Amino acid sequence: MNVNDTNNQRMLPVLPLRGLTAFPDMLIHFDVGRAMSIKALEAAMKDGQWIFLTAQKDLKTDRPTADDLYEVGTICIIKQILRLPGDNIRVLVEGKDRARALHYQKSEDGGECLKAQVEVLYDILPLGGERREQALVRTVQNRFEEYAALAPRLSSDVALTVAAGGNAGYLADYIAQNIPIDFSVKQEVLEELNVNRRLTFLIRLLTEETEILRIEGDIQEQIKAAIDKNQKDYYLREQIKVIQSELGEQDVSAEAEEYREKIEKLSLPEESASKLRKETERLAKMSGSSAEAGVIRTYLDTVLELPWKTSTRPRHDLERAQKILDRDHYGLEKVKERILEFMAVKTLAPDLKGQVLCLVGPPGVGKTSIARSIAEAMNRKYTRMSLGGVRDEADIRGHRKTYIGAMPGRIIAALRQAGSRNPLILLDEIDKMGNDFRGDPASAMLEVLDTEQNNAFRDHYIEIPFDLSDVLFVTTANDLSTVPRPLLDRMEVIELSSYTAEEKLHIAHDHLLPKQIKKHGLKGTQLIVPEETLSAVISGYTREAGVRRLEQVIAKLCRKAAKKIADGSAKRVTIHPADLEAYLGAPKFKEDNVSKEDEVGIVNGLAWTSVGGEMLQVEVAAVPGTGKIEITGNLGKVMEESAKAAVTFVRSRAEMLRIDPNFYKNTDIHIHFPEAAIPKDGPSAGITMATAIISALTGAPVRHEVAMTGEVTLRGRVMPIGGLREKTMAAYRAGIRTIIIPKDNQVDLEEVEQVVKDHVQFVIAAHMDTVMETAIDFSRRPAVTTRRDETTQETQMPLSAPGSTRTTLRQ
């Protein structure tokens, strides 16, 4: 050891300490990992194991210099070095003397080790201060005793050592070494050489620490008192959890907390959120296995799964919408135009409410599929809700959740299924709703479809308002006569009429046939169906307004072809019109029953059915009798009354028509409508029956290429009818060349298909005189023999009755 005994100075390696302070006469152990510290240890082991330990001012400094170290440290001797896994070394040293570094310098070999010229420092004992020193020692012991009573994790050996007393300077260093205070405070104790001031500093330090510990204790007591009940509740809940876990039950409190988080995330209006919070609190207080808890759990799941904030961004690209509509549907030009107008309005006024569309038309014309196309064009979620046969109001509004098995109504269920608050909901078959003792569902639909009210629609099950104003409702119906008037007023009606034969051919060739070929696993080259074959299928095997039955027949052809290809009997199947009987059997429909020549008492009428228009012949026979009127053909009451009105009109014109004024007494009139198995009703056959009666009584034939429709009054006025488009389509299919329609229906000619206008002549009739002049060929009336003054005269009915008018409209 290089020791300069004269000056109490020596040159020692320096080991900087981070967060530690070494005191004389104390054992201290620490880990060493820095290179400069390891070098210092190596230098010390080569020079008598003496080393100078001093603390560095900043713990973050990794390579401290002389300016980063305190001047006062401790000269220590290394007792033990233990190498740990890795590069760390654990060192045990014993402090010997306080010392001050006079100056620092690098090691002689140029390494990272620091060396310092240190000077030993000695304690200063004031002269004549023995009594004061004793008083200070006792005070330190008392303060430490108070401190030890409050300090956690303080070793009992430390308390015994302090209580034993001893050298005052050592006692002060020992206390500073063993209490958890900041290393900078310990450094102050180390640097204080005056023993009395060192003790005084410790007394003040222990007093402050004791007060802090006392305050901490008070705070802990207050916290303990405050949370004591919560701890008890928590303990009991934990016990309940364990019990529920053993019983296989769910933790209700944790589940209720999940529901609370979901409710807060939705940011619902306060009324709705408050209702849901109350239900959550009820659930938290119940047993998880109770029936009521299951009801509340189902209710909360249902409500929270509704799309309160989820929506899609609507698109109003008219060009894209046009392409989608043309892709999915052939024809229906006016319907497509109306839908594009609707989308154009939404483009200019996106916040506009109050749009409820009603698609009306016969079955199979594409009402449901066009609603799906609208949803795709507008980028809205699509969901369908069938109303056919719905008789319970609760199906629309839901049941109260207090009932066993309660569930929300179909509107809320559709929104839940769509997953969006602005979907397109198709209300299919709205005209098929009924009512009974359980309520009127049509009345419940009034609020749903009323845009002035549905922004706060309340389902009986969820019991909180839901905004339906962003939902686009599209309804479908076959017959509006069964839809209540208040409900109909809330909808904008768009009529989809029946398809013409040409349209059916295009639809079958471009859409149905490729679809069914793909559906049945065939390739386009394996099954060939020419257009003439499709035309034969349309005319002979289907008789409908739409194309649903046509698709079924095409599917049957695909199945027949698939069987042939699968069993290897053919690689390619071509179906010609002559082959249809082999595939489909004999044609089920013949041409419409239309006379091929002019006949007496037979008139072509026109009828409307739910599947389109049809020809309806009327036959009248006048035979001698007692004036009875027979009406047959499965007719309804309205039709029977219309027949009586026609007979009365003919009686009023008997003299002008030159028929026996007493025919109603001596002639039996039998009015018959063929196909008696089919029920028939309505007033639109009035002029048809009147024409047939006049023809039968006068013997003048009726022109076979003429068809008619219209209601007749007792005075012969022709009243308007409905379904003109479908009726004229049926006449066109049957080869009729002239159609008589009421004058009041002239404006409806705009709805008639252009192909019908191109091939059919329309006669506008305001009175029966025009009907008779157009339909009856009085020039071929048999001669009538009357006796006047015993003179025989042959007279004929003029071509035009007095006062009659004829208006011909050629389209």
Side-chain angles (χ1 to χ4, degrees), residues 37 54 118 128 152 358 376 399 509 571 663 677 691 697 741 756:
S37 300
T54 183
V118 298
C358 180
E376 181 182 352
H399 299 81
H509 184 270
K571 293 183 178 180
F663 74 88
T691 303
L697 291 175
I741 65 173
V756 178

Side-chain angles (χ1 to χ4, degrees), residues 688-710:
T688 309
M689 289 185 286
T691 303
I693 294 170
I694 293 171
S695 174
L697 291 175
T698 61
V702 179
R703 296 183 176 93
H704 70 278
E705 75 278 3
V706 176
M708 61 189 70
T709 179

